[in-house]
Amino acid sequence: MKDLVLIGGGHSHAIVLKMFGIKPLPGVRLTLISDVLHAPYSGMLPGHVAGFYDYDECHIDLRSLAEFAGCQILIDRAIAIDLNKNLVICQTCPPINFDVLSVDIGSTPATLSVPGAAEYAIAAKPVPEFLASWNQLISERKNHPQKPLRIAIVGGGAGGVELALNMQSRLGKEEGRRKKEEGSGKKEVGRRKWEEGSGKKEVGRRKFRKFIIRNSFVSQRR
């Protein structure tokens, strides 16, 4: 039995798991080491930022995919590789033996090499950290819509342009939704005031009828 160990649940390893599920290789035992259960598909990230796709639509469920492939999955972070002993050193789990090792952890911008980037910038990768910051910004925008907002994007490649356009689209949608909710709230306030006014009119109408009836009765007795 040969141990094939996969570090990271990126696109390439997702395809490997799918193909193993469709056609397993005899004598090969699979192990996936990933620090997340749901791997983001970066190609759909701008659409998710814009609100076109929800979380499940643009994330790969690694646990379900591993079960389909008959693969052992460890939710952990690989921190070192011992090439002399063929071991993957994990943050919490015991070392993992391998005969063949594949690494698919994606790229991360070198923010430490750019002065001020670590303190003031949010890298697009790792994607989970970027999405956490983006969702926080959207939430703060809802709570403080009048607060000035200025976003600068470093990098004018395809990814940067996509993010810029989709951020603008999402923020525009949020602003439109806010105005619509405010309009609905004003309509609701107006409706309540109209109902209150109608109720007061009805109370006055009833009092007037009672007055007429009472005075008519007194006139008849006289």
Side-chain angles (χ1 to χ4, degrees), residues 42 53 81 131 168 222:
S42 57
Y53 312 118
I81 300 173
L131 288 181
Q168 183 184 42
R222 288 177 179 174

Side-chain angles (χ1 to χ4, degrees), residues 137 140-141 144-151:
L137 184 147
E140 292 176 353
R141 191 66 180 166
H144 306 284
Q146 305 304 327
K147 184 179 179 180
L149 177 64
R150 181 177 296 174
I151 299 175

Side-chain angles (χ1 to χ4, degrees), residues 152-166:
I153 296 177
V154 180
V161 172
E162 277 189 308
L163 277 179
L165 295 175
N166 284 285

Side-chain angles (χ1 to χ4, degrees), residues 146-186:
Q146 305 304 327
K147 184 179 179 180
L149 177 64
R150 181 177 296 174
I151 299 175
I153 296 177
V154 180
V161 172
E162 277 189 308
L163 277 179
L165 295 175
N166 284 285
M167 283 179 175
Q168 183 184 42
S169 175
R170 177 67 179 279
L171 292 171
K173 288 179 182 177
E174 293 296 330
E175 180 67 13
R177 185 179 295 111
R178 182 184 68 83
K179 289 182 178 179
K180 184 177 180 180
E181 290 175 352
E182 287 181 353
S184 299
K186 290 179 180 179

